[in-house]
Each structure stands twice: as structure tokens, then as C-alpha cells.
Amino acid sequence: MYKDIQAVAFDIDGTLYPSWKLFIRMPLHVLKNLKLYIHFNKTRHIMHRTAPLADFYEYQARMLAEVSSIKSPRAKEIINDICYDGLKKFFKKVKPYPHAYECIKAMKDAGLKIGILSDFPPEQKGDIWGIRDLCDVCIGSEESGALKPSIYPFGILERKLGVPADKILYVGNSVKYDVLGAKGAGMKTAYILKGFKKLFNIKLPEADISFKNYRQLQKIVLE
């Protein structure tokens, strides 16, 4: 077992599935709501830097109202209808990375606890290609009151898993939000290589593990 880890937790977007598989299915949706998405991206940029909030969704709606012409009472409803629930139909056609489920099932069968920590609500992805049923913990960082790379959602993940941070391996695709965020919370990290890094097998120095596919991750962690 890799350095005595007791749990493995995963980001979802870009980690369990290739982001491009989602993007190619939603250009009309984005174009139809382009102004909203521009303002929502500005809002999320702000939210990534905020301290933990008692009501994340309320504050996010207020921030969206400030950067756009949307009235605050309607902002939360619009975010939910277009940016959260509005994407559910696209995920039904998105496939995960090859062998992702098999890798996580093997980890579960080996006695490791399994977690999900995503910056968007996990329920947006349904059963997460069957992976949700394997999870001991499945949370969105928004419900913790703060987005990654804040250490707060990682701390909630640690507490719910019941495993010390240094015994948790967190798997993600973002250097800033996943790798550095989890390392800041005391966890070990695994980074899924993309683009030229994947092509030339260039390991990410900030991560404990760099991997090109889920078969490779399974071998590194379990053997």
C-alpha cells in the first residue's frame, strides 16, 4: 500500500472524466446563457478566495448580483436552474476516464476508505458513474462554506472520513485547487497528467504521485 494511506479521495470535474467531453456537449447552452456564465465565472473567482461562510449559496448569489444586472432575490434561483441543475442533462452522456470505476473499486476492496470532494455539488453528476455507491464520504466543498484551495473543505473531508490527513491521498487535476489545496491541509496528493505532461510523462513536482491513467494509479497505490 502506498505509504500507509488509509483513504483515497477524488475531485470529479476533469479528474474522473475528461472536461472536454462535457464542453463539446454544451456550446448552445453556454451561448444561450453567455452573459450569465461570464458573470458567474467572475463570482466563482471571488468565492475561491473567501473565508468559510455560514451560507455559501446566499453569499454567492449576492456576489453574482453585484457583478451583474441580476436582482439578488433571483440570483440564487438562476444559478441553480442554469449552472447547477441546468448541467445535469449533459452529464448523462459524459463517460468517465477508462478504468476509473475499476480502480476505485479495487481500492475499496483493498480496505481503503473512498471519498469525493468536488467544488460543484456531486449530485449534479447523478451516481457519478457508479462511484458514489463506493464512497464513504461524498461532499461538495460549497456545502462546507468554502471552495478549494481553502483548507476548510479538506478538513471537513478528513473529519468525515475519520482518517488523519497524512493518511489520505487526494486525487485531482488542478495544481492550484487540488494539489496545493490538499497539500496545504496535510494530505498526500496525486495528479492526473494532461496534454504535454501526459505525452512526455513529465511528473508534477508538487504532487506525490503523477499518473497518466487509472490503471497506473491503481498499480502505484495498491502494489
Side-chain angles (χ1 to χ4, degrees), residues 58-88:
E58 184 65 34
Y59 189 84
Q60 178 176 254
R62 293 210 321 264
M63 288 296 99
L64 179 63
E66 286 187 16
V67 301
S68 69
S69 58
I70 300 172
K71 301 298 182 182
S72 186
R74 281 272 296 144
K76 186 187 290 187
E77 180 182 344
I78 290 172
I79 292 172
N80 184 68
D81 290 347
I82 297 176
C83 302
Y84 290 154
D85 286 350
L87 299 186
K88 286 182 177 180

PDB file of all heavy atoms in Angstrom, residues 58-88:
ATOM      1  N   GLU A  58     -26.057  31.710  -0.432  1.00  0.00           N
ATOM      2  CA  GLU A  58     -26.630  33.054  -0.307  1.00  0.00           C
ATOM      3  C   GLU A  58     -25.587  34.107  -0.658  1.00  0.00           C
ATOM      4  O   GLU A  58     -25.864  35.067  -1.382  1.00  0.00           O
ATOM      5  CB  GLU A  58     -27.147  33.261   1.115  1.00  0.00           C
ATOM      6  CG  GLU A  58     -27.845  34.602   1.343  1.00  0.00           C
ATOM      7  CD  GLU A  58     -29.116  34.748   0.535  1.00  0.00           C
ATOM      8  OE1 GLU A  58     -29.809  33.744   0.323  1.00  0.00           O
ATOM      9  OE2 GLU A  58     -29.411  35.879   0.087  1.00  0.00           O
ATOM     10  N   TYR A  59     -24.371  33.933  -0.151  1.00  0.00           N
ATOM     11  CA  TYR A  59     -23.302  34.895  -0.424  1.00  0.00           C
ATOM     12  C   TYR A  59     -22.943  34.876  -1.904  1.00  0.00           C
ATOM     13  O   TYR A  59     -22.718  35.921  -2.520  1.00  0.00           O
ATOM     14  CB  TYR A  59     -22.077  34.554   0.430  1.00  0.00           C
ATOM     15  CG  TYR A  59     -20.989  35.595   0.387  1.00  0.00           C
ATOM     16  CD1 TYR A  59     -21.032  36.708   1.223  1.00  0.00           C
ATOM     17  CD2 TYR A  59     -19.905  35.472  -0.487  1.00  0.00           C
ATOM     18  CE1 TYR A  59     -20.037  37.675   1.191  1.00  0.00           C
ATOM     19  CE2 TYR A  59     -18.904  36.431  -0.530  1.00  0.00           C
ATOM     20  CZ  TYR A  59     -18.971  37.524   0.307  1.00  0.00           C
ATOM     21  OH  TYR A  59     -17.993  38.473   0.259  1.00  0.00           O
ATOM     22  N   GLN A  60     -22.887  33.677  -2.504  1.00  0.00           N
ATOM     23  CA  GLN A  60     -22.594  33.560  -3.921  1.00  0.00           C
ATOM     24  C   GLN A  60     -23.635  34.295  -4.759  1.00  0.00           C
ATOM     25  O   GLN A  60     -23.300  34.987  -5.734  1.00  0.00           O
ATOM     26  CB  GLN A  60     -22.552  32.082  -4.317  1.00  0.00           C
ATOM     27  CG  GLN A  60     -22.294  31.844  -5.798  1.00  0.00           C
ATOM     28  CD  GLN A  60     -22.164  30.369  -6.125  1.00  0.00           C
ATOM     29  OE1 GLN A  60     -21.062  29.887  -6.373  1.00  0.00           O
ATOM     30  NE2 GLN A  60     -23.258  29.641  -6.127  1.00  0.00           N
ATOM     31  N   ALA A  61     -24.893  34.178  -4.379  1.00  0.00           N
ATOM     32  CA  ALA A  61     -25.970  34.867  -5.095  1.00  0.00           C
ATOM     33  C   ALA A  61     -25.818  36.381  -4.972  1.00  0.00           C
ATOM     34  O   ALA A  61     -26.021  37.120  -5.948  1.00  0.00           O
ATOM     35  CB  ALA A  61     -27.328  34.426  -4.553  1.00  0.00           C
ATOM     36  N   ARG A  62     -25.429  36.863  -3.795  1.00  0.00           N
ATOM     37  CA  ARG A  62     -25.222  38.299  -3.605  1.00  0.00           C
ATOM     38  C   ARG A  62     -24.058  38.798  -4.443  1.00  0.00           C
ATOM     39  O   ARG A  62     -24.108  39.883  -5.022  1.00  0.00           O
ATOM     40  CB  ARG A  62     -24.983  38.611  -2.125  1.00  0.00           C
ATOM     41  CG  ARG A  62     -26.177  38.368  -1.233  1.00  0.00           C
ATOM     42  CD  ARG A  62     -26.237  39.273  -0.027  1.00  0.00           C
ATOM     43  NE  ARG A  62     -24.952  39.523   0.581  1.00  0.00           N
ATOM     44  CZ  ARG A  62     -24.469  38.856   1.631  1.00  0.00           C
ATOM     45  NH1 ARG A  62     -25.179  37.875   2.168  1.00  0.00           N
ATOM     46  NH2 ARG A  62     -23.294  39.158   2.143  1.00  0.00           N
ATOM     47  N   MET A  63     -22.983  37.998  -4.521  1.00  0.00           N
ATOM     48  CA  MET A  63     -21.836  38.372  -5.341  1.00  0.00           C
ATOM     49  C   MET A  63     -22.215  38.430  -6.818  1.00  0.00           C
ATOM     50  O   MET A  63     -21.798  39.342  -7.547  1.00  0.00           O
ATOM     51  CB  MET A  63     -20.696  37.379  -5.140  1.00  0.00           C
ATOM     52  CG  MET A  63     -19.975  37.464  -3.809  1.00  0.00           C
ATOM     53  SD  MET A  63     -19.109  39.038  -3.569  1.00  0.00           S
ATOM     54  CE  MET A  63     -20.303  39.926  -2.549  1.00  0.00           C
ATOM     55  N   LEU A  64     -23.001  37.456  -7.279  1.00  0.00           N
ATOM     56  CA  LEU A  64     -23.446  37.469  -8.671  1.00  0.00           C
ATOM     57  C   LEU A  64     -24.281  38.709  -8.962  1.00  0.00           C
ATOM     58  O   LEU A  64     -24.127  39.339 -10.012  1.00  0.00           O
ATOM     59  CB  LEU A  64     -24.254  36.216  -8.986  1.00  0.00           C
ATOM     60  CG  LEU A  64     -24.802  36.122 -10.410  1.00  0.00           C
ATOM     61  CD1 LEU A  64     -23.657  36.072 -11.433  1.00  0.00           C
ATOM     62  CD2 LEU A  64     -25.690  34.898 -10.574  1.00  0.00           C
ATOM     63  N   ALA A  65     -25.136  39.080  -8.024  1.00  0.00           N
ATOM     64  CA  ALA A  65     -25.961  40.279  -8.201  1.00  0.00           C
ATOM     65  C   ALA A  65     -25.099  41.536  -8.308  1.00  0.00           C
ATOM     66  O   ALA A  65     -25.413  42.457  -9.064  1.00  0.00           O
ATOM     67  CB  ALA A  65     -26.949  40.407  -7.046  1.00  0.00           C
ATOM     68  N   GLU A  66     -23.981  41.553  -7.579  1.00  0.00           N
ATOM     69  CA  GLU A  66     -23.097  42.722  -7.590  1.00  0.00           C
ATOM     70  C   GLU A  66     -22.353  42.874  -8.908  1.00  0.00           C
ATOM     71  O   GLU A  66     -22.091  43.987  -9.354  1.00  0.00           O
ATOM     72  CB  GLU A  66     -22.099  42.645  -6.430  1.00  0.00           C
ATOM     73  CG  GLU A  66     -22.706  42.947  -5.077  1.00  0.00           C
ATOM     74  CD  GLU A  66     -21.652  43.031  -3.989  1.00  0.00           C
ATOM     75  OE1 GLU A  66     -20.449  43.153  -4.331  1.00  0.00           O
ATOM     76  OE2 GLU A  66     -22.018  42.989  -2.806  1.00  0.00           O
ATOM     77  N   VAL A  67     -21.991  41.744  -9.539  1.00  0.00           N
ATOM     78  CA  VAL A  67     -21.193  41.827 -10.771  1.00  0.00           C
ATOM     79  C   VAL A  67     -22.068  41.793 -12.029  1.00  0.00           C
ATOM     80  O   VAL A  67     -21.546  41.860 -13.142  1.00  0.00           O
ATOM     81  CB  VAL A  67     -20.149  40.696 -10.850  1.00  0.00           C
ATOM     82  CG1 VAL A  67     -19.212  40.749  -9.656  1.00  0.00           C
ATOM     83  CG2 VAL A  67     -20.813  39.328 -10.954  1.00  0.00           C
ATOM     84  N   SER A  68     -23.384  41.681 -11.841  1.00  0.00           N
ATOM     85  CA  SER A  68     -24.287  41.608 -12.991  1.00  0.00           C
ATOM     86  C   SER A  68     -25.496  42.498 -12.742  1.00  0.00           C
ATOM     87  O   SER A  68     -25.576  43.212 -11.744  1.00  0.00           O
ATOM     88  CB  SER A  68     -24.747  40.166 -13.207  1.00  0.00           C
ATOM     89  OG  SER A  68     -25.606  39.754 -12.159  1.00  0.00           O
ATOM     90  N   SER A  69     -26.451  42.444 -13.659  1.00  0.00           N
ATOM     91  CA  SER A  69     -27.684  43.220 -13.510  1.00  0.00           C
ATOM     92  C   SER A  69     -28.805  42.370 -12.908  1.00  0.00           C
ATOM     93  O   SER A  69     -29.953  42.802 -12.827  1.00  0.00           O
ATOM     94  CB  SER A  69     -28.140  43.745 -14.880  1.00  0.00           C
ATOM     95  OG  SER A  69     -28.338  42.663 -15.783  1.00  0.00           O
ATOM     96  N   ILE A  70     -28.476  41.170 -12.473  1.00  0.00           N
ATOM     97  CA  ILE A  70     -29.476  40.281 -11.884  1.00  0.00           C
ATOM     98  C   ILE A  70     -29.819  40.753 -10.477  1.00  0.00           C
ATOM     99  O   ILE A  70     -28.926  41.069  -9.688  1.00  0.00           O
ATOM    100  CB  ILE A  70     -28.948  38.838 -11.842  1.00  0.00           C
ATOM    101  CG1 ILE A  70     -28.627  38.338 -13.253  1.00  0.00           C
ATOM    102  CG2 ILE A  70     -29.962  37.905 -11.177  1.00  0.00           C
ATOM    103  CD1 ILE A  70     -27.917  37.008 -13.286  1.00  0.00           C
ATOM    104  N   LYS A  71     -31.078  40.783 -10.162  1.00  0.00           N
ATOM    105  CA  LYS A  71     -31.511  41.165  -8.828  1.00  0.00           C
ATOM    106  C   LYS A  71     -31.225  40.031  -7.851  1.00  0.00           C
ATOM    107  O   LYS A  71     -31.435  38.859  -8.152  1.00  0.00           O
ATOM    108  CB  LYS A  71     -33.006  41.501  -8.818  1.00  0.00           C
ATOM    109  CG  LYS A  71     -33.394  42.639  -9.751  1.00  0.00           C
ATOM    110  CD  LYS A  71     -32.698  43.938  -9.359  1.00  0.00           C
ATOM    111  CE  LYS A  71     -33.127  45.083 -10.279  1.00  0.00           C
ATOM    112  NZ  LYS A  71     -32.419  46.334  -9.951  1.00  0.00           N
ATOM    113  N   SER A  72     -30.765  40.392  -6.670  1.00  0.00           N
ATOM    114  CA  SER A  72     -30.320  39.409  -5.686  1.00  0.00           C
ATOM    115  C   SER A  72     -31.347  38.330  -5.362  1.00  0.00           C
ATOM    116  O   SER A  72     -30.987  37.151  -5.274  1.00  0.00           O
ATOM    117  CB  SER A  72     -29.901  40.119  -4.395  1.00  0.00           C
ATOM    118  OG  SER A  72     -29.342  39.200  -3.488  1.00  0.00           O
ATOM    119  N   PRO A  73     -32.630  38.648  -5.173  1.00  0.00           N
ATOM    120  CA  PRO A  73     -33.588  37.577  -4.849  1.00  0.00           C
ATOM    121  C   PRO A  73     -33.687  36.510  -5.930  1.00  0.00           C
ATOM    122  O   PRO A  73     -34.024  35.359  -5.649  1.00  0.00           O
ATOM    123  CB  PRO A  73     -34.916  38.339  -4.712  1.00  0.00           C
ATOM    124  CG  PRO A  73     -34.523  39.733  -4.357  1.00  0.00           C
ATOM    125  CD  PRO A  73     -33.255  39.967  -5.128  1.00  0.00           C
ATOM    126  N   ARG A  74     -33.387  36.851  -7.171  1.00  0.00           N
ATOM    127  CA  ARG A  74     -33.483  35.901  -8.273  1.00  0.00           C
ATOM    128  C   ARG A  74     -32.165  35.182  -8.555  1.00  0.00           C
ATOM    129  O   ARG A  74     -32.144  34.141  -9.199  1.00  0.00           O
ATOM    130  CB  ARG A  74     -33.916  36.638  -9.549  1.00  0.00           C
ATOM    131  CG  ARG A  74     -35.379  36.950  -9.630  1.00  0.00           C
ATOM    132  CD  ARG A  74     -36.150  35.802 -10.260  1.00  0.00           C
ATOM    133  NE  ARG A  74     -35.756  35.581 -11.649  1.00  0.00           N
ATOM    134  CZ  ARG A  74     -35.685  34.393 -12.233  1.00  0.00           C
ATOM    135  NH1 ARG A  74     -35.944  33.308 -11.532  1.00  0.00           N
ATOM    136  NH2 ARG A  74     -35.343  34.276 -13.500  1.00  0.00           N
ATOM    137  N   ALA A  75     -31.061  35.729  -8.068  1.00  0.00           N
ATOM    138  CA  ALA A  75     -29.742  35.221  -8.445  1.00  0.00           C
ATOM    139  C   ALA A  75     -29.539  33.770  -8.030  1.00  0.00           C
ATOM    140  O   ALA A  75     -29.031  32.959  -8.804  1.00  0.00           O
ATOM    141  CB  ALA A  75     -28.647  36.100  -7.836  1.00  0.00           C
ATOM    142  N   LYS A  76     -29.933  33.417  -6.811  1.00  0.00           N
ATOM    143  CA  LYS A  76     -29.744  32.039  -6.347  1.00  0.00           C
ATOM    144  C   LYS A  76     -30.537  31.061  -7.212  1.00  0.00           C
ATOM    145  O   LYS A  76     -30.042  29.991  -7.572  1.00  0.00           O
ATOM    146  CB  LYS A  76     -30.164  31.908  -4.889  1.00  0.00           C
ATOM    147  CG  LYS A  76     -29.866  30.536  -4.290  1.00  0.00           C
ATOM    148  CD  LYS A  76     -30.446  30.350  -2.899  1.00  0.00           C
ATOM    149  CE  LYS A  76     -29.744  31.197  -1.881  1.00  0.00           C
ATOM    150  NZ  LYS A  76     -30.215  30.887  -0.494  1.00  0.00           N
ATOM    151  N   GLU A  77     -31.753  31.417  -7.550  1.00  0.00           N
ATOM    152  CA  GLU A  77     -32.598  30.557  -8.377  1.00  0.00           C
ATOM    153  C   GLU A  77     -32.010  30.381  -9.772  1.00  0.00           C
ATOM    154  O   GLU A  77     -32.017  29.276 -10.330  1.00  0.00           O
ATOM    155  CB  GLU A  77     -33.993  31.165  -8.477  1.00  0.00           C
ATOM    156  CG  GLU A  77     -34.972  30.358  -9.305  1.00  0.00           C
ATOM    157  CD  GLU A  77     -36.331  31.028  -9.406  1.00  0.00           C
ATOM    158  OE1 GLU A  77     -36.616  31.940  -8.606  1.00  0.00           O
ATOM    159  OE2 GLU A  77     -37.103  30.633 -10.302  1.00  0.00           O
ATOM    160  N   ILE A  78     -31.476  31.463 -10.338  1.00  0.00           N
ATOM    161  CA  ILE A  78     -30.895  31.406 -11.681  1.00  0.00           C
ATOM    162  C   ILE A  78     -29.639  30.531 -11.691  1.00  0.00           C
ATOM    163  O   ILE A  78     -29.433  29.726 -12.607  1.00  0.00           O
ATOM    164  CB  ILE A  78     -30.583  32.827 -12.190  1.00  0.00           C
ATOM    165  CG1 ILE A  78     -31.892  33.565 -12.476  1.00  0.00           C
ATOM    166  CG2 ILE A  78     -29.706  32.782 -13.440  1.00  0.00           C
ATOM    167  CD1 ILE A  78     -31.714  35.031 -12.798  1.00  0.00           C
ATOM    168  N   ILE A  79     -28.778  30.690 -10.682  1.00  0.00           N
ATOM    169  CA  ILE A  79     -27.581  29.854 -10.583  1.00  0.00           C
ATOM    170  C   ILE A  79     -27.973  28.385 -10.529  1.00  0.00           C
ATOM    171  O   ILE A  79     -27.393  27.541 -11.223  1.00  0.00           O
ATOM    172  CB  ILE A  79     -26.749  30.227  -9.335  1.00  0.00           C
ATOM    173  CG1 ILE A  79     -26.130  31.618  -9.500  1.00  0.00           C
ATOM    174  CG2 ILE A  79     -25.645  29.188  -9.102  1.00  0.00           C
ATOM    175  CD1 ILE A  79     -25.459  32.130  -8.240  1.00  0.00           C
ATOM    176  N   ASN A  80     -28.955  28.065  -9.719  1.00  0.00           N
ATOM    177  CA  ASN A  80     -29.379  26.675  -9.587  1.00  0.00           C
ATOM    178  C   ASN A  80     -29.954  26.132 -10.897  1.00  0.00           C
ATOM    179  O   ASN A  80     -29.597  25.032 -11.338  1.00  0.00           O
ATOM    180  CB  ASN A  80     -30.423  26.548  -8.478  1.00  0.00           C
ATOM    181  CG  ASN A  80     -30.822  25.113  -8.225  1.00  0.00           C
ATOM    182  OD1 ASN A  80     -30.039  24.315  -7.741  1.00  0.00           O
ATOM    183  ND2 ASN A  80     -32.060  24.770  -8.569  1.00  0.00           N
ATOM    184  N   ASP A  81     -30.826  26.927 -11.536  1.00  0.00           N
ATOM    185  CA  ASP A  81     -31.516  26.452 -12.742  1.00  0.00           C
ATOM    186  C   ASP A  81     -30.582  26.283 -13.932  1.00  0.00           C
ATOM    187  O   ASP A  81     -30.773  25.375 -14.755  1.00  0.00           O
ATOM    188  CB  ASP A  81     -32.642  27.425 -13.118  1.00  0.00           C
ATOM    189  CG  ASP A  81     -33.796  27.377 -12.134  1.00  0.00           C
ATOM    190  OD1 ASP A  81     -33.837  26.437 -11.319  1.00  0.00           O
ATOM    191  OD2 ASP A  81     -34.646  28.283 -12.170  1.00  0.00           O
ATOM    192  N   ILE A  82     -29.567  27.143 -14.043  1.00  0.00           N
ATOM    193  CA  ILE A  82     -28.714  27.137 -15.239  1.00  0.00           C
ATOM    194  C   ILE A  82     -27.342  26.502 -14.990  1.00  0.00           C
ATOM    195  O   ILE A  82     -26.876  25.684 -15.796  1.00  0.00           O
ATOM    196  CB  ILE A  82     -28.546  28.573 -15.780  1.00  0.00           C
ATOM    197  CG1 ILE A  82     -29.920  29.106 -16.225  1.00  0.00           C
ATOM    198  CG2 ILE A  82     -27.556  28.607 -16.944  1.00  0.00           C
ATOM    199  CD1 ILE A  82     -29.920  30.549 -16.685  1.00  0.00           C
ATOM    200  N   CYS A  83     -26.717  26.839 -13.863  1.00  0.00           N
ATOM    201  CA  CYS A  83     -25.341  26.387 -13.622  1.00  0.00           C
ATOM    202  C   CYS A  83     -25.249  25.079 -12.842  1.00  0.00           C
ATOM    203  O   CYS A  83     -24.242  24.365 -12.947  1.00  0.00           O
ATOM    204  CB  CYS A  83     -24.561  27.474 -12.878  1.00  0.00           C
ATOM    205  SG  CYS A  83     -24.511  29.057 -13.755  1.00  0.00           S
ATOM    206  N   TYR A  84     -26.258  24.773 -12.059  1.00  0.00           N
ATOM    207  CA  TYR A  84     -26.256  23.524 -11.296  1.00  0.00           C
ATOM    208  C   TYR A  84     -27.179  22.492 -11.964  1.00  0.00           C
ATOM    209  O   TYR A  84     -26.731  21.613 -12.679  1.00  0.00           O
ATOM    210  CB  TYR A  84     -26.695  23.778  -9.853  1.00  0.00           C
ATOM    211  CG  TYR A  84     -25.705  24.547  -9.018  1.00  0.00           C
ATOM    212  CD1 TYR A  84     -26.114  25.312  -7.930  1.00  0.00           C
ATOM    213  CD2 TYR A  84     -24.345  24.519  -9.294  1.00  0.00           C
ATOM    214  CE1 TYR A  84     -25.215  26.013  -7.147  1.00  0.00           C
ATOM    215  CE2 TYR A  84     -23.429  25.217  -8.518  1.00  0.00           C
ATOM    216  CZ  TYR A  84     -23.876  25.965  -7.441  1.00  0.00           C
ATOM    217  OH  TYR A  84     -22.971  26.650  -6.670  1.00  0.00           O
ATOM    218  N   ASP A  85     -28.473  22.615 -11.743  1.00  0.00           N
ATOM    219  CA  ASP A  85     -29.422  21.665 -12.328  1.00  0.00           C
ATOM    220  C   ASP A  85     -29.401  21.704 -13.853  1.00  0.00           C
ATOM    221  O   ASP A  85     -29.655  20.687 -14.508  1.00  0.00           O
ATOM    222  CB  ASP A  85     -30.842  21.953 -11.838  1.00  0.00           C
ATOM    223  CG  ASP A  85     -31.054  21.530 -10.395  1.00  0.00           C
ATOM    224  OD1 ASP A  85     -30.167  20.846  -9.831  1.00  0.00           O
ATOM    225  OD2 ASP A  85     -32.087  21.891  -9.813  1.00  0.00           O
ATOM    226  N   GLY A  86     -29.082  22.866 -14.414  1.00  0.00           N
ATOM    227  CA  GLY A  86     -29.084  23.015 -15.866  1.00  0.00           C
ATOM    228  C   GLY A  86     -28.045  22.173 -16.580  1.00  0.00           C
ATOM    229  O   GLY A  86     -28.149  21.949 -17.793  1.00  0.00           O
ATOM    230  N   LEU A  87     -27.054  21.678 -15.854  1.00  0.00           N
ATOM    231  CA  LEU A  87     -26.000  20.858 -16.468  1.00  0.00           C
ATOM    232  C   LEU A  87     -26.221  19.361 -16.290  1.00  0.00           C
ATOM    233  O   LEU A  87     -25.511  18.559 -16.889  1.00  0.00           O
ATOM    234  CB  LEU A  87     -24.631  21.244 -15.889  1.00  0.00           C
ATOM    235  CG  LEU A  87     -24.167  22.687 -16.114  1.00  0.00           C
ATOM    236  CD1 LEU A  87     -22.741  22.854 -15.619  1.00  0.00           C
ATOM    237  CD2 LEU A  87     -24.271  23.092 -17.570  1.00  0.00           C
ATOM    238  N   LYS A  88     -27.194  18.987 -15.482  1.00  0.00           N
ATOM    239  CA  LYS A  88     -27.396  17.566 -15.195  1.00  0.00           C
ATOM    240  C   LYS A  88     -27.611  16.748 -16.454  1.00  0.00           C
ATOM    241  O   LYS A  88     -27.093  15.634 -16.589  1.00  0.00           O
ATOM    242  CB  LYS A  88     -28.589  17.391 -14.246  1.00  0.00           C
ATOM    243  CG  LYS A  88     -28.304  17.795 -12.810  1.00  0.00           C
ATOM    244  CD  LYS A  88     -29.527  17.537 -11.928  1.00  0.00           C
ATOM    245  CE  LYS A  88     -29.236  17.876 -10.475  1.00  0.00           C
ATOM    246  NZ  LYS A  88     -30.422  17.639  -9.616  1.00  0.00           N
TER     247      LYS A  88
END
